[in-house]
Amino acid sequence: PPASDDVLVLLHGFPHARAFWAPQLAALPTLLPGWRVVPPDLRGFGDTDARPPWSMDRYADDVAALLDHLGVARAAVAGLLMGGY
């Protein structure tokens, strides 16, 4: 099936990973029917094998590259604090 034009990116905070969003991921199909939800592991967290250096710019570039790879032109973004960032 074609991908939905409605995309929500969920960004985890420090020191979590995409698994942090498990309860929300279970509820979102009911709350946002038809939306595509993308909860990436940011560089250095969860299932990534990325090595330093880490920075907010690299995190943003990684998410942009992921959305490009998925063919997503625009998305709503929700997230948590990354500590002191």
Side-chain angles (χ1 to χ4, degrees):
S4 169
D5 287 340
D6 296 321
V7 177
L8 173 62
V9 178
L10 294 176
L11 301 177
H12 62 80
F14 180 86
H16 304 288
R18 71 175 179 242
F20 176 87
W21 296 111
Q24 290 78 13
L25 293 172
L28 283 171
T30 301
L31 298 171
L32 298 173
W35 280 63
R36 184 176 183 188
V37 181
V38 178
D41 277 331
L42 296 176
R43 179 181 295 266
F45 297 93
D47 291 330
T48 67
D49 59 1
R51 308 247 186 272
W54 300 302
S55 70
M56 287 296 120
D57 288 339
R58 292 210 55 194
Y59 292 142
D61 290 345
D62 290 346
V63 172
L66 173 61
L67 294 177
D68 286 345
H69 174 76
L70 296 174
V72 175
R74 64 181 209 151
V77 178
L80 297 175
L81 292 174
M82 286 295 281
Y85 293 108

